[in-house]
Tab-separated table of all heavy atoms in Angstrom:
chain	number	residue	atom	x	y	z
A	874	ASN	N	11.174	9.467	22.579
A	874	ASN	CA	12.065	8.889	23.545
A	874	ASN	C	11.946	7.427	23.725
A	874	ASN	O	12.867	6.604	24.012
A	874	ASN	CB	12.074	9.709	24.961
A	874	ASN	CG	12.663	11.067	24.783
A	874	ASN	OD1	13.565	11.244	23.981
A	874	ASN	ND2	12.205	12.013	25.460
A	875	ILE	N	10.649	7.054	23.640
A	875	ILE	CA	10.294	5.670	23.764
A	875	ILE	C	10.950	4.804	22.597
A	875	ILE	O	11.543	3.779	22.774
A	875	ILE	CB	8.804	5.397	23.920
A	875	ILE	CG1	8.341	5.778	25.331
A	875	ILE	CG2	8.419	3.824	23.696
A	875	ILE	CD1	6.846	5.818	25.443
A	876	ARG	N	10.749	5.365	21.407
A	876	ARG	CA	11.335	4.756	20.238
A	876	ARG	C	12.792	4.712	20.373
A	876	ARG	O	13.428	3.671	20.026
A	876	ARG	CB	10.966	5.498	18.982
A	876	ARG	CG	9.368	5.389	18.645
A	876	ARG	CD	9.064	5.992	17.304
A	876	ARG	NE	7.706	5.793	16.919
A	876	ARG	CZ	6.775	6.659	17.044
A	876	ARG	NH1	6.970	7.807	17.563
A	876	ARG	NH2	5.492	6.349	16.637
A	877	THR	N	13.470	5.819	20.884
A	877	THR	CA	14.904	5.813	20.981
A	877	THR	C	15.278	4.728	22.042
A	877	THR	O	16.333	3.917	21.762
A	877	THR	CB	15.352	7.155	21.589
A	877	THR	OG1	15.030	8.094	20.562
A	877	THR	CG2	16.923	7.186	21.841
A	878	TYR	N	14.587	4.582	23.153
A	878	TYR	CA	14.851	3.549	24.189
A	878	TYR	C	14.694	2.071	23.573
A	878	TYR	O	15.516	1.175	23.856
A	878	TYR	CB	14.000	3.755	25.355
A	878	TYR	CG	14.218	2.840	26.431
A	878	TYR	CD1	15.576	2.821	27.003
A	878	TYR	CD2	13.271	2.096	27.137
A	878	TYR	CE1	15.838	1.917	28.217
A	878	TYR	CE2	13.489	1.402	28.228
A	878	TYR	CZ	14.693	1.301	28.790
A	878	TYR	OH	14.991	0.424	29.809
A	879	GLY	N	13.693	1.938	22.639
A	879	GLY	CA	13.579	0.713	22.010
A	879	GLY	C	14.732	0.224	21.252
A	879	GLY	O	15.095	-0.983	21.226
A	880	TYR	N	15.351	1.070	20.517
A	880	TYR	CA	16.669	0.811	19.801
A	880	TYR	C	17.820	0.432	20.713
A	880	TYR	O	18.623	-0.401	20.493
A	880	TYR	CB	17.018	1.949	18.873
A	880	TYR	CG	16.284	1.853	17.503
A	880	TYR	CD1	15.103	2.514	17.385
A	880	TYR	CD2	16.922	1.202	16.483
A	880	TYR	CE1	14.463	2.382	16.091
A	880	TYR	CE2	16.305	1.102	15.213
A	880	TYR	CZ	14.995	1.749	15.047
A	880	TYR	OH	14.377	1.680	13.953
A	881	ILE	N	17.869	1.149	21.869
A	881	ILE	CA	18.948	0.930	22.754
A	881	ILE	C	18.791	-0.574	23.428
A	881	ILE	O	19.814	-1.210	23.554
A	881	ILE	CB	18.916	1.941	24.008
A	881	ILE	CG1	19.201	3.309	23.434
A	881	ILE	CG2	19.873	1.548	25.081
A	881	ILE	CD1	18.999	4.503	24.391
A	882	ILE	N	17.600	-0.902	23.717
A	882	ILE	CA	17.454	-2.323	24.430
A	882	ILE	C	16.881	-3.359	23.309
A	882	ILE	O	16.548	-4.444	23.850
A	882	ILE	CB	16.532	-2.184	25.644
A	882	ILE	CG1	15.117	-1.782	25.241
A	882	ILE	CG2	17.073	-1.287	26.628
A	882	ILE	CD1	14.176	-1.806	26.412
A	883	ASP	N	16.920	-3.047	22.100
A	883	ASP	CA	16.576	-4.070	21.071
A	883	ASP	C	15.079	-4.431	21.198
A	883	ASP	O	14.690	-5.654	21.057
A	883	ASP	CB	17.403	-5.205	21.013
A	883	ASP	CG	18.870	-4.977	20.655
A	883	ASP	OD1	19.033	-4.171	19.738
A	883	ASP	OD2	19.849	-5.463	21.235
A	884	ARG	N	14.234	-3.493	21.381
A	884	ARG	CA	12.804	-3.743	21.441
A	884	ARG	C	12.095	-2.654	20.513
A	884	ARG	O	11.059	-2.039	20.953
A	884	ARG	CB	12.295	-3.542	22.980
A	884	ARG	CG	12.872	-4.548	23.931
A	884	ARG	CD	12.398	-6.124	23.546
A	884	ARG	NE	12.629	-6.991	24.723
A	884	ARG	CZ	13.783	-7.359	25.006
A	884	ARG	NH1	14.908	-7.136	24.355
A	884	ARG	NH2	13.941	-8.308	26.000
A	885	GLU	N	12.573	-2.588	19.335
A	885	GLU	CA	12.070	-1.692	18.370
A	885	GLU	C	10.540	-1.796	18.103
A	885	GLU	O	9.770	-0.796	18.104
A	885	GLU	CB	12.856	-1.605	17.028
A	885	GLU	CG	14.295	-1.221	17.185
A	885	GLU	CD	15.315	-2.316	17.435
A	885	GLU	OE1	14.732	-3.471	17.947
A	885	GLU	OE2	16.367	-2.341	17.049
A	886	GLU	N	10.210	-2.987	17.857
A	886	GLU	CA	8.761	-3.171	17.447
A	886	GLU	C	7.810	-2.865	18.607
A	886	GLU	O	6.755	-2.384	18.556
A	886	GLU	CB	8.491	-4.542	16.920
A	886	GLU	CG	9.199	-4.839	15.642
A	886	GLU	CD	8.864	-6.181	15.028
A	886	GLU	OE1	8.146	-6.985	15.705
A	886	GLU	OE2	9.439	-6.603	13.932
A	887	ASP	N	8.266	-3.299	19.863
A	887	ASP	CA	7.515	-3.100	21.011
A	887	ASP	C	7.371	-1.586	21.351
A	887	ASP	O	6.399	-1.157	21.788
A	887	ASP	CB	8.113	-3.729	22.284
A	887	ASP	CG	8.179	-5.307	22.129
A	887	ASP	OD1	6.997	-5.894	22.207
A	887	ASP	OD2	9.170	-5.836	21.793
A	888	ALA	N	8.511	-0.923	21.188
A	888	ALA	CA	8.539	0.550	21.299
A	888	ALA	C	7.683	1.316	20.422
A	888	ALA	O	6.949	2.201	20.772
A	888	ALA	CB	10.053	1.025	21.262
A	889	GLU	N	7.622	0.797	19.152
A	889	GLU	CA	6.704	1.474	18.167
A	889	GLU	C	5.297	1.230	18.610
A	889	GLU	O	4.411	2.199	18.398
A	889	GLU	CB	6.939	0.799	16.817
A	889	GLU	CG	6.072	1.355	15.682
A	889	GLU	CD	6.239	2.896	15.523
A	889	GLU	OE1	7.338	3.473	15.604
A	889	GLU	OE2	5.231	3.568	15.241
A	890	GLU	N	4.975	0.073	19.108
A	890	GLU	CA	3.524	-0.248	19.499
A	890	GLU	C	3.137	0.794	20.626
A	890	GLU	O	2.084	1.448	20.583
A	890	GLU	CB	3.219	-1.689	19.850
A	890	GLU	CG	1.919	-2.043	20.354
A	890	GLU	CD	1.761	-3.353	20.769
A	890	GLU	OE1	2.801	-4.092	20.981
A	890	GLU	OE2	0.543	-3.753	20.977
A	891	PHE	N	4.139	0.822	21.650
A	891	PHE	CA	3.852	1.580	22.810
A	891	PHE	C	3.749	3.181	22.413
A	891	PHE	O	2.785	3.929	22.829
A	891	PHE	CB	4.736	1.421	23.839
A	891	PHE	CG	4.448	2.056	25.109
A	891	PHE	CD1	3.298	2.112	25.619
A	891	PHE	CD2	5.569	2.661	26.004
A	891	PHE	CE1	2.901	2.754	26.883
A	891	PHE	CE2	5.248	3.108	27.227
A	891	PHE	CZ	3.937	3.235	27.674
A	892	ALA	N	4.629	3.594	21.624
A	892	ALA	CA	4.683	4.977	21.196
A	892	ALA	C	3.432	5.373	20.329
A	892	ALA	O	2.941	6.414	20.475
A	892	ALA	CB	5.929	5.276	20.443
A	893	SER	N	3.080	4.480	19.486
A	893	SER	CA	1.858	4.737	18.676
A	893	SER	C	0.692	4.699	19.521
A	893	SER	O	-0.275	5.589	19.312
A	893	SER	CB	1.612	3.631	17.580
A	893	SER	OG	2.710	3.647	16.700
A	894	TRP	N	0.590	3.900	20.567
A	894	TRP	CA	-0.644	4.035	21.468
A	894	TRP	C	-0.695	5.274	22.310
A	894	TRP	O	-1.702	5.803	22.371
A	894	TRP	CB	-0.513	2.825	22.631
A	894	TRP	CG	-1.679	2.682	23.499
A	894	TRP	CD1	-2.818	1.999	23.238
A	894	TRP	CD2	-1.759	3.231	24.775
A	894	TRP	NE1	-3.671	2.106	24.262
A	894	TRP	CE2	-3.091	2.774	25.298
A	894	TRP	CE3	-0.893	3.975	25.502
A	894	TRP	CZ2	-3.493	3.185	26.513
A	894	TRP	CZ3	-1.441	4.362	26.840
A	894	TRP	CH2	-2.785	4.012	27.228
A	895	ILE	N	0.405	5.879	22.697
A	895	ILE	CA	0.624	7.015	23.356
A	895	ILE	C	0.079	8.184	22.519
A	895	ILE	O	-0.675	9.030	22.837
A	895	ILE	CB	1.974	7.413	23.826
A	895	ILE	CG1	2.358	6.386	25.095
A	895	ILE	CG2	2.320	8.784	24.196
A	895	ILE	CD1	3.711	6.364	25.510
A	896	GLU	N	0.527	8.190	21.229
A	896	GLU	CA	0.171	9.136	20.281
A	896	GLU	C	-1.364	9.109	20.043
A	896	GLU	O	-2.009	10.252	19.948
A	896	GLU	CB	0.923	9.035	18.928
A	896	GLU	CG	2.438	9.422	19.168
A	896	GLU	CD	3.255	8.871	17.976
A	896	GLU	OE1	2.777	8.125	17.157
A	896	GLU	OE2	4.461	9.235	17.953
A	897	LYS	N	-1.919	7.947	20.026
A	897	LYS	CA	-3.330	7.748	19.693
A	897	LYS	C	-4.107	8.481	20.836
A	897	LYS	O	-5.041	9.175	20.627
A	897	LYS	CB	-3.566	6.317	19.771
A	897	LYS	CG	-5.173	5.993	19.557
A	897	LYS	CD	-5.508	4.610	19.494
A	897	LYS	CE	-6.946	4.273	19.494
A	897	LYS	NZ	-7.292	2.775	19.522
A	898	GLN	N	-3.715	8.181	22.131
A	898	GLN	CA	-4.555	8.848	23.337
A	898	GLN	C	-4.190	10.310	23.288
A	898	GLN	O	-5.104	11.061	23.595
A	898	GLN	CB	-4.013	8.175	24.624
A	898	GLN	CG	-3.916	6.568	24.591
A	898	GLN	CD	-5.226	6.023	24.130
A	898	GLN	OE1	-6.321	6.472	24.266
A	898	GLN	NE2	-5.128	4.916	23.369
A	899	ASN	N	-3.082	10.732	23.047
A	899	ASN	CA	-2.738	12.177	22.967
A	899	ASN	C	-3.610	12.897	21.982
A	899	ASN	O	-4.169	13.923	22.252
A	899	ASN	CB	-1.211	12.289	22.777
A	899	ASN	CG	-0.817	13.713	23.141
A	899	ASN	OD1	-1.372	14.522	23.880
A	899	ASN	ND2	0.477	14.133	22.620
A	900	ASP	N	-3.619	12.263	20.884
A	900	ASP	CA	-4.461	12.961	19.765
A	900	ASP	C	-6.007	12.936	20.056
A	900	ASP	O	-6.630	13.889	19.759
A	900	ASP	CB	-4.279	12.198	18.449
A	900	ASP	CG	-2.830	12.262	17.795
A	900	ASP	OD1	-2.208	13.230	18.232
A	900	ASP	OD2	-2.480	11.440	16.966
A	901	LEU	N	-6.367	11.925	20.782
A	901	LEU	CA	-7.795	11.821	21.273
A	901	LEU	C	-8.087	13.035	22.123
A	901	LEU	O	-9.112	13.735	21.961
A	901	LEU	CB	-8.141	10.577	21.910
A	901	LEU	CG	-9.484	10.403	22.644
A	901	LEU	CD1	-10.562	10.548	21.707
A	901	LEU	CD2	-9.461	9.111	23.543
A	902	ILE	N	-7.270	13.274	23.112
A	902	ILE	CA	-7.443	14.466	24.042
A	902	ILE	C	-7.400	15.784	23.355
A	902	ILE	O	-8.316	16.605	23.508
A	902	ILE	CB	-6.433	14.263	25.168
A	902	ILE	CG1	-6.643	13.032	26.079
A	902	ILE	CG2	-6.575	15.506	26.051
A	902	ILE	CD1	-5.507	12.729	26.949
A	903	LYS	N	-6.494	15.890	22.539
A	903	LYS	CA	-6.262	17.260	21.780
A	903	LYS	C	-7.464	17.366	20.900
A	903	LYS	O	-8.045	18.520	20.807
A	903	LYS	CB	-4.973	17.169	20.963
A	903	LYS	CG	-3.717	17.264	21.946
A	903	LYS	CD	-2.483	17.352	20.900
A	903	LYS	CE	-1.214	17.540	21.777
A	903	LYS	NZ	-0.006	17.505	20.969
A	904	SER	N	-7.902	16.351	20.172
A	904	SER	CA	-9.024	16.577	19.258
A	904	SER	C	-10.255	17.006	19.978
A	904	SER	O	-11.079	17.807	19.443
A	904	SER	CB	-9.268	15.285	18.422
A	904	SER	OG	-9.779	14.340	19.244
A	905	ARG	N	-10.483	16.446	21.205
A	905	ARG	CA	-11.766	16.800	21.835
A	905	ARG	C	-11.681	18.258	22.496
A	905	ARG	O	-12.778	18.777	22.703
A	905	ARG	CB	-12.098	15.875	22.948
A	905	ARG	CG	-12.313	14.388	22.474
A	905	ARG	CD	-13.530	14.293	21.685
A	905	ARG	NE	-13.669	13.001	21.094
A	905	ARG	CZ	-14.508	12.066	21.613
A	905	ARG	NH1	-15.233	12.297	22.600
A	905	ARG	NH2	-14.624	10.787	21.017
A	906	LEU	N	-10.567	18.686	22.737
A	906	LEU	CA	-10.319	19.933	23.409
A	906	LEU	C	-9.932	21.090	22.477
A	906	LEU	O	-9.609	22.223	22.962
A	906	LEU	CB	-9.418	19.803	24.615
A	906	LEU	CG	-9.888	18.863	25.739
A	906	LEU	CD1	-8.701	18.818	26.735
A	906	LEU	CD2	-11.184	19.319	26.312
A	907	LYS	N	-9.747	20.837	21.230
A	907	LYS	CA	-9.155	21.792	20.309
A	907	LYS	C	-10.001	23.110	20.249
A	907	LYS	O	-9.365	24.096	20.002
A	907	LYS	CB	-9.019	21.293	18.930
A	907	LYS	CG	-10.375	20.891	18.251
A	907	LYS	CD	-10.046	20.251	16.934
A	907	LYS	CE	-11.442	19.868	16.127
A	907	LYS	NZ	-11.166	19.081	14.811
């Protein structure tokens, strides 16, 4: 949804950076608790 929003407001690269950061933290939590 962040990537989608980035396209809506013409901030695609910023959205990709933020979305990737979120996925990184999410993966960290999941990997530690798997």
Side-chain angles (χ1 to χ4, degrees):
N874 289 328
I875 287 172
R876 290 184 174 103
T877 299
Y878 187 51
Y880 274 87
I881 292 171
I882 63 172
D883 293 320
R884 297 295 194 282
E885 294 93 335
E886 292 183 4
D887 299 284
E889 180 58 37
E890 181 182 10
F891 190 35
S893 297
W894 185 87
I895 286 171
E896 290 167 350
K897 176 183 176 183
Q898 310 313 321
N899 197 15
D900 290 344
L901 169 63
I902 295 169
K903 287 182 177 179
S904 66
R905 295 300 176 95
L906 296 173
K907 63 182 179 181

